[in-house]
Structures are given as C-alpha cells and as structure tokens.
Amino acid sequence: MDLEDYYRILGLRSGVSFADVKASYRRLVQQYHPDINPNDLKAKDKFIAVTEAYKFLQTVLPPEEIKPRTSEVKTDVSSAREVQTQPAAPKATVISHPPNLEDIEQRLKWKTYEQLQRFLQERRFPQAIALAEALMARLPADAEVRQWLAIAYQIWGRVLITEKQLPKARIYLKKALKTDPYNKALWNEVQQDFQRLELKL
C-alpha cells in the first residue's frame, strides 16, 4: 500500500495538513466504531483500515506546531533566582482575568463531543442529534461540529432503514448530505445507504 492509499482510506487527497488527517480520522472512527456498528463486519474492517492509515500518516507527517500561550511560557532559572533575591514588594490585590471565550467554547465543544459519543453508543439517537444540533447552533462555523452532526444524521438514517421507517430514513440521510456537502467520504457512504433504502422499497 502506498501513501496515496492511506490518504484515500481517510477520504483525503495527498498533501493535506496533519490537522485535516486528524479531523478525518476522528470522524471516520466515530462513524465505524464497533460499539456503534455491532455485528457489522464491513464497519469493523473499515475501522481497522482507518486506524492503520492514521497511525501510518502520523509517522510520516509532522504534527503542526502549537505555540505556547504567553501565560504558559516558563521563565528561565536565572530570572527566577533574581526575583527570589529581591526584597518582597508590598502585596497588591491580584485581579484575575476572566477565562478566554475561545477556551470556554473549546471546552464546551469537547465535553459535548464526549456526551455525543455516549448517546450514540447507548443508541439514544434522537438525543444525540438534538445535542449535535445545539452545538452546531452555538458554533456554526466549526467544520468538525458540522461533521459530527452530519454523521449523527447518517447513523440515525441507517437505523431507520433497518427499522423499515424508510421515508424518515430518507429525510435524515438528505440532512446528512446537506449538513456536510463537501465531505466526499460521507457522500459516498450516504449514496450506499440510499441504495440500501431503494432495495427495501
């Protein structure tokens, strides 16, 4: 298997950033996880292939540099010693700054993602969709959140196909495509779901 194949497994073209690889991996793992697709051998094989592709690309792609925030930059030992040898300054009232709004949003996003995973594993699909829709309303420009919502729609659509609720399944599969229209891997998967749906009619 060559490098192109690993990118293809993750639904990507070669040359994309490590952040894109990571985002695609997270989305696909959520989609094909054995807990979400019990007794589905194709999903299990896809899950294994996606994991192997990610692990391989992780070794060849450099993770993007993360610059530490100024509050996290440590002072060097010599300057720390100088501070200790100076006479203590009179105590002043310390005004703590409120947390950065972006940090709060990111914490909310990942806490919601964990809850979304729990709902999907427990097969509480309407709750998972409601949660993902609420997060999408809060973070409308976030590409990962859009992917999560589209996948939640797709998974629920698949369940509805197996439960023979075909008109409702069609609605949710269409919502998946509308939510994340430029996601090729999702598009291909949903097209297969539509074919399964047509066979049931």
Side-chain angles (χ1 to χ4, degrees):
M1 203 181 285
D2 62 14
L3 197 58
E4 294 281 334
D5 294 325
Y6 288 115
Y7 281 112
R8 203 166 21 256
I9 288 167
L10 293 173
L12 300 167
R13 65 183 191 284
S14 60
V16 297
S17 69
F18 181 72
D20 292 328
V21 169
K22 195 171 182 181
S24 185
Y25 167 71
R26 281 183 177 157
R27 178 182 61 75
L28 292 169
V29 161
Q30 180 181 350
Q31 189 174 347
Y32 293 108
H33 199 284
D35 290 346
I36 296 166
N37 302 286
N39 306 319
D40 186 341
L41 295 177
K42 283 175 98 173
K44 183 182 176 184
D45 290 343
K46 185 78 173 175
F47 177 80
I48 291 167
V50 162
T51 304
E52 285 175 1
Y54 176 68
K55 283 181 180 174
F56 177 80
L57 290 173
Q58 210 174 13
T59 63
V60 296
L61 288 176
E64 282 151 17
E65 277 186 42
I66 299 167
K67 293 181 181 174
R69 283 182 240 142
T70 50
S71 61
E72 293 172 350
V73 177
K74 296 178 180 174
T75 56
D76 65 305
V77 178
S78 59
S79 61
R81 282 193 192 124
E82 285 171 22
V83 172
Q84 288 173 357
T85 56
Q86 292 174 354
K91 288 188 178 179
T93 308
V94 177
I95 301 168
S96 62
H97 296 285
N100 184 332
L101 186 60
E102 192 177 318
D103 291 343
I104 293 169
E105 295 287 5
Q106 286 301 310
R107 281 201 297 271
L108 170 72
K109 172 182 165 179
W110 291 107
K111 284 282 181 196
T112 306
Y113 174 74
E114 288 168 13
Q115 183 63 53
L116 178 64
Q117 286 287 68
R118 279 195 291 275
F119 281 154
L120 290 172
Q121 287 169 7
E122 293 165 8
R123 302 181 68 78
R124 295 166 63 187
F125 301 112
Q127 291 92 333
I129 286 170
L131 185 69
E133 285 175 338
L135 188 62
M136 187 71 196
R138 177 82 182 242
L139 302 171
D142 193 300
E144 280 185 320
V145 173
R146 189 178 303 111
Q147 284 181 349
W148 300 344
L149 177 57
I151 289 167
Y153 284 146
Q154 185 200 13
I155 291 170
W156 183 221
R158 283 179 170 177
V159 170
L160 291 168
I161 291 171
T162 60
E163 292 177 357
K164 297 185 180 169
Q165 296 185 45
L166 305 182
K168 199 171 173 183
R170 187 185 300 277
I171 289 167
Y172 280 97
L173 292 173
K174 283 182 177 178
K175 279 187 171 193
L177 292 179
K178 190 175 178 185
T179 303
D180 198 6
Y182 303 110
N183 185 329
K184 277 187 182 177
L186 179 74
W187 184 272
N188 292 335
E189 291 291 328
V190 172
Q191 291 308 315
Q192 289 173 19
D193 295 331
F194 275 125
Q195 287 169 7
R196 279 180 54 219
L197 193 149
E198 294 301 323
L199 291 172
K200 300 263 183 184
L201 289 174

mmCIF file of all heavy atoms in Angstrom, residues 3-50:
data_model
loop_
_atom_site.group_PDB
_atom_site.id
_atom_site.type_symbol
_atom_site.label_atom_id
_atom_site.label_comp_id
_atom_site.label_asym_id
_atom_site.label_seq_id
_atom_site.Cartn_x
_atom_site.Cartn_y
_atom_site.Cartn_z
ATOM 1 N N LEU A 3 1.442 5.673 -0.118
ATOM 2 C CA LEU A 3 0.972 6.830 0.649
ATOM 3 C C LEU A 3 -0.404 7.300 0.184
ATOM 4 O O LEU A 3 -1.270 7.623 1.005
ATOM 5 C CB LEU A 3 2.007 7.956 0.511
ATOM 6 C CG LEU A 3 1.937 9.093 1.512
ATOM 7 C CD1 LEU A 3 2.080 8.592 2.933
ATOM 8 C CD2 LEU A 3 3.018 10.117 1.213
ATOM 9 N N GLU A 4 -0.603 7.297 -1.128
ATOM 10 C CA GLU A 4 -1.887 7.722 -1.701
ATOM 11 C C GLU A 4 -3.036 6.884 -1.147
ATOM 12 O O GLU A 4 -4.125 7.396 -0.884
ATOM 13 C CB GLU A 4 -1.859 7.587 -3.235
ATOM 14 C CG GLU A 4 -0.894 8.512 -3.931
ATOM 15 C CD GLU A 4 -1.434 9.931 -4.072
ATOM 16 O OE1 GLU A 4 -2.658 10.097 -4.092
ATOM 17 O OE2 GLU A 4 -0.615 10.860 -4.140
ATOM 18 N N ASP A 5 -2.789 5.559 -0.992
ATOM 19 C CA ASP A 5 -3.837 4.660 -0.495
ATOM 20 C C ASP A 5 -4.254 5.036 0.927
ATOM 21 O O ASP A 5 -5.434 4.990 1.265
ATOM 22 C CB ASP A 5 -3.361 3.204 -0.521
ATOM 23 C CG ASP A 5 -3.132 2.698 -1.937
ATOM 24 O OD1 ASP A 5 -3.905 3.114 -2.826
ATOM 25 O OD2 ASP A 5 -2.191 1.925 -2.157
ATOM 26 N N TYR A 6 -3.273 5.381 1.755
ATOM 27 C CA TYR A 6 -3.589 5.750 3.134
ATOM 28 C C TYR A 6 -4.443 7.018 3.170
ATOM 29 O O TYR A 6 -5.399 7.108 3.945
ATOM 30 C CB TYR A 6 -2.307 5.934 3.950
ATOM 31 C CG TYR A 6 -1.614 4.630 4.261
ATOM 32 C CD1 TYR A 6 -0.353 4.347 3.735
ATOM 33 C CD2 TYR A 6 -2.219 3.677 5.070
ATOM 34 C CE1 TYR A 6 0.286 3.145 4.014
ATOM 35 C CE2 TYR A 6 -1.585 2.470 5.353
ATOM 36 C CZ TYR A 6 -0.333 2.215 4.823
ATOM 37 O OH TYR A 6 0.288 1.027 5.111
ATOM 38 N N TYR A 7 -4.090 7.985 2.319
ATOM 39 C CA TYR A 7 -4.912 9.192 2.242
ATOM 40 C C TYR A 7 -6.327 8.848 1.760
ATOM 41 O O TYR A 7 -7.314 9.352 2.289
ATOM 42 C CB TYR A 7 -4.295 10.212 1.273
ATOM 43 C CG TYR A 7 -3.150 11.003 1.839
ATOM 44 C CD1 TYR A 7 -1.849 10.829 1.369
ATOM 45 C CD2 TYR A 7 -3.357 11.952 2.841
ATOM 46 C CE1 TYR A 7 -0.794 11.572 1.884
ATOM 47 C CE2 TYR A 7 -2.304 12.691 3.356
ATOM 48 C CZ TYR A 7 -1.031 12.498 2.880
ATOM 49 O OH TYR A 7 0.009 13.228 3.384
ATOM 50 N N ARG A 8 -6.401 7.972 0.753
ATOM 51 C CA ARG A 8 -7.693 7.607 0.176
ATOM 52 C C ARG A 8 -8.596 6.942 1.218
ATOM 53 O O ARG A 8 -9.793 7.191 1.264
ATOM 54 C CB ARG A 8 -7.476 6.691 -1.031
ATOM 55 C CG ARG A 8 -8.632 6.696 -1.994
ATOM 56 C CD ARG A 8 -8.362 6.097 -3.358
ATOM 57 N NE ARG A 8 -7.253 5.175 -3.478
ATOM 58 C CZ ARG A 8 -6.077 5.473 -4.017
ATOM 59 N NH1 ARG A 8 -5.842 6.682 -4.479
ATOM 60 N NH2 ARG A 8 -5.122 4.569 -4.104
ATOM 61 N N ILE A 9 -8.017 6.085 2.062
ATOM 62 C CA ILE A 9 -8.791 5.411 3.125
ATOM 63 C C ILE A 9 -9.447 6.444 4.036
ATOM 64 O O ILE A 9 -10.571 6.257 4.502
ATOM 65 C CB ILE A 9 -7.885 4.447 3.930
ATOM 66 C CG1 ILE A 9 -7.541 3.216 3.081
ATOM 67 C CG2 ILE A 9 -8.542 4.018 5.239
ATOM 68 C CD1 ILE A 9 -6.425 2.356 3.638
ATOM 69 N N LEU A 10 -8.717 7.549 4.278
ATOM 70 C CA LEU A 10 -9.250 8.605 5.143
ATOM 71 C C LEU A 10 -10.102 9.615 4.372
ATOM 72 O O LEU A 10 -10.551 10.616 4.930
ATOM 73 C CB LEU A 10 -8.097 9.332 5.849
ATOM 74 C CG LEU A 10 -7.335 8.480 6.875
ATOM 75 C CD1 LEU A 10 -6.119 9.230 7.382
ATOM 76 C CD2 LEU A 10 -8.216 8.073 8.039
ATOM 77 N N GLY A 11 -10.318 9.344 3.078
ATOM 78 C CA GLY A 11 -11.160 10.227 2.262
ATOM 79 C C GLY A 11 -10.504 11.561 1.955
ATOM 80 O O GLY A 11 -11.185 12.578 1.834
ATOM 81 N N LEU A 12 -9.163 11.557 1.845
ATOM 82 C CA LEU A 12 -8.409 12.789 1.636
ATOM 83 C C LEU A 12 -7.543 12.700 0.395
ATOM 84 O O LEU A 12 -7.262 11.601 -0.085
ATOM 85 C CB LEU A 12 -7.504 13.062 2.850
ATOM 86 C CG LEU A 12 -8.200 13.237 4.202
ATOM 87 C CD1 LEU A 12 -7.178 13.186 5.323
ATOM 88 C CD2 LEU A 12 -8.972 14.548 4.246
ATOM 89 N N ARG A 13 -7.105 13.842 -0.076
ATOM 90 C CA ARG A 13 -6.112 13.860 -1.152
ATOM 91 C C ARG A 13 -4.745 14.047 -0.510
ATOM 92 O O ARG A 13 -4.636 14.598 0.587
ATOM 93 C CB ARG A 13 -6.403 14.976 -2.154
ATOM 94 C CG ARG A 13 -6.272 16.356 -1.582
ATOM 95 C CD ARG A 13 -6.628 17.439 -2.593
ATOM 96 N NE ARG A 13 -6.251 18.742 -2.098
ATOM 97 C CZ ARG A 13 -6.898 19.418 -1.170
ATOM 98 N NH1 ARG A 13 -7.978 18.893 -0.604
ATOM 99 N NH2 ARG A 13 -6.486 20.606 -0.776
ATOM 100 N N SER A 14 -3.699 13.614 -1.191
ATOM 101 C CA SER A 14 -2.357 13.743 -0.623
ATOM 102 C C SER A 14 -1.970 15.204 -0.517
ATOM 103 O O SER A 14 -2.428 16.036 -1.289
ATOM 104 C CB SER A 14 -1.341 12.985 -1.473
ATOM 105 O OG SER A 14 -1.327 13.515 -2.773
ATOM 106 N N GLY A 15 -1.144 15.490 0.474
ATOM 107 C CA GLY A 15 -0.653 16.849 0.652
ATOM 108 C C GLY A 15 -1.444 17.682 1.637
ATOM 109 O O GLY A 15 -1.100 18.833 1.889
ATOM 110 N N VAL A 16 -2.529 17.113 2.205
ATOM 111 C CA VAL A 16 -3.296 17.887 3.179
ATOM 112 C C VAL A 16 -2.525 17.960 4.496
ATOM 113 O O VAL A 16 -1.587 17.203 4.724
ATOM 114 C CB VAL A 16 -4.705 17.276 3.421
ATOM 115 C CG1 VAL A 16 -5.531 17.310 2.167
ATOM 116 C CG2 VAL A 16 -4.612 15.864 3.970
ATOM 117 N N SER A 17 -2.944 18.846 5.374
ATOM 118 C CA SER A 17 -2.234 19.044 6.637
ATOM 119 C C SER A 17 -2.544 17.909 7.614
ATOM 120 O O SER A 17 -3.525 17.174 7.457
ATOM 121 C CB SER A 17 -2.652 20.372 7.267
ATOM 122 O OG SER A 17 -3.994 20.291 7.714
ATOM 123 N N PHE A 18 -1.711 17.806 8.640
ATOM 124 C CA PHE A 18 -1.928 16.805 9.685
ATOM 125 C C PHE A 18 -3.254 17.060 10.406
ATOM 126 O O PHE A 18 -3.948 16.122 10.791
ATOM 127 C CB PHE A 18 -0.767 16.830 10.689
ATOM 128 C CG PHE A 18 -0.916 15.796 11.773
ATOM 129 C CD1 PHE A 18 -0.745 14.450 11.494
ATOM 130 C CD2 PHE A 18 -1.245 16.160 13.073
ATOM 131 C CE1 PHE A 18 -0.895 13.487 12.489
ATOM 132 C CE2 PHE A 18 -1.390 15.208 14.063
ATOM 133 C CZ PHE A 18 -1.213 13.870 13.770
ATOM 134 N N ALA A 19 -3.621 18.334 10.542
ATOM 135 C CA ALA A 19 -4.901 18.680 11.189
ATOM 136 C C ALA A 19 -6.071 18.089 10.400
ATOM 137 O O ALA A 19 -7.036 17.578 10.979
ATOM 138 C CB ALA A 19 -5.040 20.190 11.304
ATOM 139 N N ASP A 20 -5.980 18.126 9.062
ATOM 140 C CA ASP A 20 -7.033 17.543 8.213
ATOM 141 C C ASP A 20 -7.085 16.026 8.382
ATOM 142 O O ASP A 20 -8.161 15.433 8.435
ATOM 143 C CB ASP A 20 -6.785 17.873 6.739
ATOM 144 C CG ASP A 20 -6.970 19.352 6.438
ATOM 145 O OD1 ASP A 20 -7.804 19.982 7.097
ATOM 146 O OD2 ASP A 20 -6.275 19.861 5.539
ATOM 147 N N VAL A 21 -5.906 15.407 8.455
ATOM 148 C CA VAL A 21 -5.828 13.955 8.650
ATOM 149 C C VAL A 21 -6.485 13.582 9.974
ATOM 150 O O VAL A 21 -7.291 12.656 10.052
ATOM 151 C CB VAL A 21 -4.353 13.478 8.616
ATOM 152 C CG1 VAL A 21 -4.230 12.035 9.085
ATOM 153 C CG2 VAL A 21 -3.779 13.629 7.212
ATOM 154 N N LYS A 22 -6.150 14.339 11.010
ATOM 155 C CA LYS A 22 -6.677 14.061 12.348
ATOM 156 C C LYS A 22 -8.198 14.226 12.383
ATOM 157 O O LYS A 22 -8.918 13.400 12.949
ATOM 158 C CB LYS A 22 -6.018 15.012 13.349
ATOM 159 C CG LYS A 22 -6.194 14.618 14.789
ATOM 160 C CD LYS A 22 -5.313 15.501 15.660
ATOM 161 C CE LYS A 22 -5.413 15.105 17.109
ATOM 162 N NZ LYS A 22 -4.594 15.966 17.976
ATOM 163 N N ALA A 23 -8.699 15.296 11.761
ATOM 164 C CA ALA A 23 -10.145 15.556 11.742
ATOM 165 C C ALA A 23 -10.884 14.446 10.996
ATOM 166 O O ALA A 23 -11.927 13.959 11.457
ATOM 167 C CB ALA A 23 -10.424 16.908 11.096
ATOM 168 N N SER A 24 -10.336 14.025 9.863
ATOM 169 C CA SER A 24 -10.968 12.956 9.085
ATOM 170 C C SER A 24 -10.952 11.637 9.864
ATOM 171 O O SER A 24 -11.932 10.899 9.876
ATOM 172 C CB SER A 24 -10.258 12.792 7.749
ATOM 173 O OG SER A 24 -10.920 11.843 6.958
ATOM 174 N N TYR A 25 -9.827 11.363 10.510
ATOM 175 C CA TYR A 25 -9.708 10.140 11.326
ATOM 176 C C TYR A 25 -10.757 10.126 12.433
ATOM 177 O O TYR A 25 -11.469 9.132 12.615
ATOM 178 C CB TYR A 25 -8.307 10.052 11.923
ATOM 179 C CG TYR A 25 -8.167 9.021 13.013
ATOM 180 C CD1 TYR A 25 -8.203 7.659 12.715
ATOM 181 C CD2 TYR A 25 -8.017 9.398 14.338
ATOM 182 C CE1 TYR A 25 -8.086 6.710 13.713
ATOM 183 C CE2 TYR A 25 -7.896 8.453 15.338
ATOM 184 C CZ TYR A 25 -7.935 7.112 15.029
ATOM 185 O OH TYR A 25 -7.827 6.179 16.012
ATOM 186 N N ARG A 26 -10.900 11.233 13.143
ATOM 187 C CA ARG A 26 -11.883 11.299 14.235
ATOM 188 C C ARG A 26 -13.299 11.039 13.728
ATOM 189 O O ARG A 26 -14.076 10.327 14.331
ATOM 190 C CB ARG A 26 -11.841 12.680 14.903
ATOM 191 C CG ARG A 26 -10.700 12.845 15.878
ATOM 192 C CD ARG A 26 -10.805 14.197 16.530
ATOM 193 N NE ARG A 26 -9.779 14.380 17.530
ATOM 194 C CZ ARG A 26 -9.348 15.535 17.944
ATOM 195 N NH1 ARG A 26 -9.849 16.641 17.439
ATOM 196 N NH2 ARG A 26 -8.415 15.632 18.868
ATOM 197 N N ARG A 27 -13.608 11.656 12.579
ATOM 198 C CA ARG A 27 -14.950 11.500 12.014
ATOM 199 C C ARG A 27 -15.216 10.046 11.620
ATOM 200 O O ARG A 27 -16.260 9.480 11.948
ATOM 201 C CB ARG A 27 -15.088 12.414 10.788
ATOM 202 C CG ARG A 27 -16.428 12.310 10.093
ATOM 203 C CD ARG A 27 -16.456 13.201 8.873
ATOM 204 N NE ARG A 27 -15.455 12.864 7.887
ATOM 205 C CZ ARG A 27 -15.534 11.818 7.069
ATOM 206 N NH1 ARG A 27 -16.555 10.995 7.125
ATOM 207 N NH2 ARG A 27 -14.577 11.584 6.191
ATOM 208 N N LEU A 28 -14.240 9.425 10.947
ATOM 209 C CA LEU A 28 -14.433 8.057 10.465
ATOM 210 C C LEU A 28 -14.455 7.041 11.599
ATOM 211 O O LEU A 28 -15.229 6.081 11.562
ATOM 212 C CB LEU A 28 -13.339 7.702 9.449
ATOM 213 C CG LEU A 28 -13.423 8.464 8.122
ATOM 214 C CD1 LEU A 28 -12.166 8.261 7.304
ATOM 215 C CD2 LEU A 28 -14.649 8.046 7.328
ATOM 216 N N VAL A 29 -13.628 7.257 12.612
ATOM 217 C CA VAL A 29 -13.627 6.355 13.770
ATOM 218 C C VAL A 29 -14.989 6.399 14.454
ATOM 219 O O VAL A 29 -15.537 5.367 14.861
ATOM 220 C CB VAL A 29 -12.485 6.726 14.744
ATOM 221 C CG1 VAL A 29 -12.717 6.159 16.125
ATOM 222 C CG2 VAL A 29 -11.164 6.197 14.207
ATOM 223 N N GLN A 30 -15.532 7.610 14.569
ATOM 224 C CA GLN A 30 -16.862 7.738 15.175
ATOM 225 C C GLN A 30 -17.906 6.997 14.329
ATOM 226 O O GLN A 30 -18.782 6.327 14.848
ATOM 227 C CB GLN A 30 -17.230 9.211 15.289
ATOM 228 C CG GLN A 30 -18.596 9.435 15.909
ATOM 229 C CD GLN A 30 -18.957 10.898 15.988
ATOM 230 O OE1 GLN A 30 -18.147 11.779 15.759
ATOM 231 N NE2 GLN A 30 -20.196 11.179 16.301
ATOM 232 N N GLN A 31 -17.766 7.101 13.027
ATOM 233 C CA GLN A 31 -18.738 6.501 12.113
ATOM 234 C C GLN A 31 -18.679 4.973 12.112
ATOM 235 O O GLN A 31 -19.713 4.306 12.063
ATOM 236 C CB GLN A 31 -18.465 7.040 10.705
ATOM 237 C CG GLN A 31 -19.506 6.674 9.691
ATOM 238 C CD GLN A 31 -19.242 7.362 8.366
ATOM 239 O OE1 GLN A 31 -18.426 8.282 8.269
ATOM 240 N NE2 GLN A 31 -19.925 6.928 7.338
ATOM 241 N N TYR A 32 -17.451 4.411 12.162
ATOM 242 C CA TYR A 32 -17.293 2.959 12.005
ATOM 243 C C TYR A 32 -16.979 2.223 13.308
ATOM 244 O O TYR A 32 -16.659 1.050 13.274
ATOM 245 C CB TYR A 32 -16.179 2.671 10.986
ATOM 246 C CG TYR A 32 -16.551 3.109 9.601
ATOM 247 C CD1 TYR A 32 -15.945 4.218 9.023
ATOM 248 C CD2 TYR A 32 -17.523 2.437 8.870
ATOM 249 C CE1 TYR A 32 -16.288 4.641 7.762
ATOM 250 C CE2 TYR A 32 -17.876 2.858 7.605
ATOM 251 C CZ TYR A 32 -17.258 3.957 7.051
ATOM 252 O OH TYR A 32 -17.602 4.375 5.795
ATOM 253 N N HIS A 33 -17.038 2.914 14.428
ATOM 254 C CA HIS A 33 -16.664 2.285 15.702
ATOM 255 C C HIS A 33 -17.514 1.042 15.946
ATOM 256 O O HIS A 33 -18.728 1.057 15.747
ATOM 257 C CB HIS A 33 -16.840 3.281 16.854
ATOM 258 C CG HIS A 33 -16.077 2.884 18.067
ATOM 259 N ND1 HIS A 33 -16.499 1.883 18.899
ATOM 260 C CD2 HIS A 33 -14.908 3.329 18.560
ATOM 261 C CE1 HIS A 33 -15.632 1.741 19.875
ATOM 262 N NE2 HIS A 33 -14.652 2.606 19.698
ATOM 263 N N PRO A 34 -16.881 -0.067 16.382
ATOM 264 C CA PRO A 34 -17.629 -1.315 16.630
ATOM 265 C C PRO A 34 -18.768 -1.175 17.639
ATOM 266 O O PRO A 34 -19.770 -1.874 17.544
ATOM 267 C CB PRO A 34 -16.553 -2.275 17.163
ATOM 268 C CG PRO A 34 -15.271 -1.740 16.622
ATOM 269 C CD PRO A 34 -15.432 -0.259 16.540
ATOM 270 N N ASP A 35 -18.636 -0.233 18.592
ATOM 271 C CA ASP A 35 -19.722 -0.035 19.562
ATOM 272 C C ASP A 35 -20.962 0.533 18.899
ATOM 273 O O ASP A 35 -22.078 0.275 19.328
ATOM 274 C CB ASP A 35 -19.278 0.923 20.675
ATOM 275 C CG ASP A 35 -18.232 0.298 21.582
ATOM 276 O OD1 ASP A 35 -18.065 -0.945 21.516
ATOM 277 O OD2 ASP A 35 -17.582 1.033 22.344
ATOM 278 N N ILE A 36 -20.748 1.315 17.838
ATOM 279 C CA ILE A 36 -21.879 1.928 17.130
ATOM 280 C C ILE A 36 -22.421 0.982 16.059
ATOM 281 O O ILE A 36 -23.590 1.029 15.709
ATOM 282 C CB ILE A 36 -21.445 3.274 16.519
ATOM 283 C CG1 ILE A 36 -21.069 4.246 17.637
ATOM 284 C CG2 ILE A 36 -22.535 3.884 15.658
ATOM 285 C CD1 ILE A 36 -20.327 5.469 17.173
ATOM 286 N N ASN A 37 -21.557 0.093 15.549
ATOM 287 C CA ASN A 37 -21.954 -0.851 14.490
ATOM 288 C C ASN A 37 -21.724 -2.297 14.942
ATOM 289 O O ASN A 37 -20.884 -2.997 14.374
ATOM 290 C CB ASN A 37 -21.135 -0.573 13.226
ATOM 291 C CG ASN A 37 -21.296 0.844 12.731
ATOM 292 O OD1 ASN A 37 -22.309 1.199 12.183
ATOM 293 N ND2 ASN A 37 -20.275 1.661 12.955
ATOM 294 N N PRO A 38 -22.437 -2.738 15.975
ATOM 295 C CA PRO A 38 -22.211 -4.109 16.433
ATOM 296 C C PRO A 38 -22.595 -5.122 15.351
ATOM 297 O O PRO A 38 -23.557 -4.908 14.617
ATOM 298 C CB PRO A 38 -23.117 -4.238 17.663
ATOM 299 C CG PRO A 38 -24.151 -3.183 17.492
ATOM 300 C CD PRO A 38 -23.523 -2.083 16.698
ATOM 301 N N ASN A 39 -21.815 -6.177 15.232
ATOM 302 C CA ASN A 39 -22.063 -7.262 14.271
ATOM 303 C C ASN A 39 -21.966 -6.834 12.802
ATOM 304 O O ASN A 39 -22.463 -7.534 11.930
ATOM 305 C CB ASN A 39 -23.441 -7.916 14.523
ATOM 306 C CG ASN A 39 -23.594 -8.379 15.954
ATOM 307 O OD1 ASN A 39 -22.660 -8.917 16.535
ATOM 308 N ND2 ASN A 39 -24.756 -8.136 16.536
ATOM 309 N N ASP A 40 -21.350 -5.689 12.547
ATOM 310 C CA ASP A 40 -21.168 -5.233 11.168
ATOM 311 C C ASP A 40 -19.693 -5.423 10.800
ATOM 312 O O ASP A 40 -18.841 -4.626 11.185
ATOM 313 C CB ASP A 40 -21.579 -3.762 11.038
ATOM 314 C CG ASP A 40 -21.544 -3.259 9.595
ATOM 315 O OD1 ASP A 40 -20.868 -3.898 8.752
ATOM 316 O OD2 ASP A 40 -22.172 -2.234 9.316
ATOM 317 N N LEU A 41 -19.401 -6.513 10.070
ATOM 318 C CA LEU A 41 -18.008 -6.839 9.752
ATOM 319 C C LEU A 41 -17.365 -5.818 8.815
ATOM 320 O O LEU A 41 -16.177 -5.532 8.929
ATOM 321 C CB LEU A 41 -17.927 -8.247 9.145
ATOM 322 C CG LEU A 41 -18.327 -9.397 10.092
ATOM 323 C CD1 LEU A 41 -18.278 -10.723 9.365
ATOM 324 C CD2 LEU A 41 -17.405 -9.423 11.303
ATOM 325 N N LYS A 42 -18.167 -5.247 7.898
ATOM 326 C CA LYS A 42 -17.626 -4.246 6.975
ATOM 327 C C LYS A 42 -17.190 -3.000 7.737
ATOM 328 O O LYS A 42 -16.137 -2.430 7.475
ATOM 329 C CB LYS A 42 -18.671 -3.876 5.915
ATOM 330 C CG LYS A 42 -18.824 -4.916 4.815
ATOM 331 C CD LYS A 42 -19.929 -4.549 3.883
ATOM 332 C CE LYS A 42 -19.391 -3.872 2.639
ATOM 333 N NZ LYS A 42 -20.440 -3.642 1.630
ATOM 334 N N ALA A 43 -18.015 -2.603 8.705
ATOM 335 C CA ALA A 43 -17.682 -1.427 9.527
ATOM 336 C C ALA A 43 -16.435 -1.701 10.360
ATOM 337 O O ALA A 43 -15.568 -0.842 10.498
ATOM 338 C CB ALA A 43 -18.854 -1.060 10.431
ATOM 339 N N LYS A 44 -16.333 -2.935 10.869
ATOM 340 C CA LYS A 44 -15.152 -3.303 11.677
ATOM 341 C C LYS A 44 -13.879 -3.246 10.824
ATOM 342 O O LYS A 44 -12.849 -2.703 11.249
ATOM 343 C CB LYS A 44 -15.339 -4.704 12.255
ATOM 344 C CG LYS A 44 -14.207 -5.143 13.170
ATOM 345 C CD LYS A 44 -14.419 -6.555 13.666
ATOM 346 C CE LYS A 44 -13.235 -7.017 14.498
ATOM 347 N NZ LYS A 44 -13.350 -8.412 14.916
ATOM 348 N N ASP A 45 -13.957 -3.787 9.602
ATOM 349 C CA ASP A 45 -12.803 -3.756 8.693
ATOM 350 C C ASP A 45 -12.416 -2.322 8.348
ATOM 351 O O ASP A 45 -11.235 -1.976 8.295
ATOM 352 C CB ASP A 45 -13.107 -4.531 7.401
ATOM 353 C CG ASP A 45 -13.197 -6.040 7.649
ATOM 354 O OD1 ASP A 45 -12.723 -6.500 8.705
ATOM 355 O OD2 ASP A 45 -13.752 -6.742 6.787
ATOM 356 N N LYS A 46 -13.426 -1.498 8.111
ATOM 357 C CA LYS A 46 -13.174 -0.095 7.776
ATOM 358 C C LYS A 46 -12.531 0.618 8.971
ATOM 359 O O LYS A 46 -11.595 1.402 8.802
ATOM 360 C CB LYS A 46 -14.491 0.583 7.389
ATOM 361 C CG LYS A 46 -14.353 1.998 6.918
ATOM 362 C CD LYS A 46 -13.864 2.109 5.502
ATOM 363 C CE LYS A 46 -13.917 3.553 5.046
ATOM 364 N NZ LYS A 46 -13.353 3.755 3.734
ATOM 365 N N PHE A 47 -13.023 0.331 10.163
ATOM 366 C CA PHE A 47 -12.471 0.919 11.395
ATOM 367 C C PHE A 47 -10.986 0.573 11.530
ATOM 368 O O PHE A 47 -10.157 1.437 11.816
ATOM 369 C CB PHE A 47 -13.264 0.396 12.605
ATOM 370 C CG PHE A 47 -12.755 0.878 13.930
ATOM 371 C CD1 PHE A 47 -13.079 2.137 14.397
ATOM 372 C CD2 PHE A 47 -11.961 0.067 14.730
ATOM 373 C CE1 PHE A 47 -12.604 2.591 15.626
ATOM 374 C CE2 PHE A 47 -11.489 0.505 15.957
ATOM 375 C CZ PHE A 47 -11.816 1.769 16.404
ATOM 376 N N ILE A 48 -10.647 -0.693 11.279
ATOM 377 C CA ILE A 48 -9.248 -1.144 11.380
ATOM 378 C C ILE A 48 -8.394 -0.446 10.319
ATOM 379 O O ILE A 48 -7.296 0.046 10.600
ATOM 380 C CB ILE A 48 -9.164 -2.680 11.242
ATOM 381 C CG1 ILE A 48 -9.787 -3.352 12.484
ATOM 382 C CG2 ILE A 48 -7.727 -3.143 11.055
ATOM 383 C CD1 ILE A 48 -10.052 -4.833 12.334
ATOM 384 N N ALA A 49 -8.908 -0.377 9.086
ATOM 385 C CA ALA A 49 -8.159 0.255 7.987
ATOM 386 C C ALA A 49 -7.920 1.739 8.262
ATOM 387 O O ALA A 49 -6.819 2.254 8.045
ATOM 388 C CB ALA A 49 -8.914 0.076 6.667
ATOM 389 N N VAL A 50 -8.950 2.418 8.770
ATOM 390 C CA VAL A 50 -8.840 3.846 9.091
ATOM 391 C C VAL A 50 -7.797 4.072 10.177
ATOM 392 O O VAL A 50 -6.962 4.975 10.091
ATOM 393 C CB VAL A 50 -10.224 4.397 9.515
ATOM 394 C CG1 VAL A 50 -10.108 5.709 10.253
ATOM 395 C CG2 VAL A 50 -11.131 4.542 8.300
#
